[in-house]
Amino acid sequence: FCIYAFMSNAYQMLPAEALRGVTFAAFWSTGTIYAHKISPPGLSATMLMFLNAMYGGLGQSLGSIIGGKMQSKMGTVKTFLYTGAFDLVFAGMVVIYLTMKTGESSFRNPKPISKPLIDKTL
């Protein structure tokens, strides 16, 4: 986001877009593998659908609304700077959480969801 904030010509966006391609591919492949690993038996497709709904539905919709409001109130440069700062802080919090987390389930070795999501006795 900070690259976009300090851009002076259109060609400077090329490194940012190349980096986005690599990071999005890593995020999406990791997310689908993780969703598959934690899904209960027979619900892998449902977990992948949930992942897609959260990213494509909720995430992009809220991002567009909030980003548009920020851009109209603060301007484009400040929007990208604040978003970049927020992402940096959020990534730091995730790293701290993952290093402090204890227990038998971890991101590298997730414990599958064992409790059924739907009660079949009804």
Side-chain angles (χ1 to χ4, degrees):
F1 289 113
C2 293
I3 293 173
Y4 291 116
F6 297 115
M7 246 177 32
S8 60
N9 67 43
Y11 291 113
Q12 291 175 337
M13 76 166 182
L14 293 175
E17 290 300 315
L19 183 62
R20 183 194 180 279
V22 172
T23 56
F24 182 79
F27 153 72
W28 197 253
S29 61
T30 303
T32 55
I33 291 169
Y34 188 74
H36 180 73
K37 282 185 175 184
I38 66 168
S39 64
L43 291 176
S44 294
T46 303
M47 290 297 280
L48 293 175
M49 184 242 5
F50 185 71
L51 171 69
N52 193 27
M54 289 298 104
Y55 174 78
L58 186 65
Q60 288 180 341
S61 298
L62 283 177
S64 297
I65 293 169
I66 294 169
K69 293 287 185 188
M70 287 175 66
Q71 188 176 13
S72 69
K73 293 204 183 280
M74 296 184 283
T76 304
V77 173
K78 284 185 180 178
T79 298
F80 280 118
L81 286 174
Y82 291 153
T83 305
F86 174 79
D87 286 348
L88 185 63
V89 169
F90 185 75
M93 289 173 28
V94 168
V95 168
I96 291 169
Y97 170 75
L98 291 175
T99 56
M100 295 176 63
K101 185 178 180 207
T102 59
E104 62 184 62
S105 182
S106 68
F107 186 75
R108 292 178 193 252
N109 186 22
K111 183 179 174 185
I113 300 170
S114 58
K115 184 179 177 183
L117 298 176
I118 300 172
D119 186 14
K120 295 182 180 181
T121 60
L122 296 176

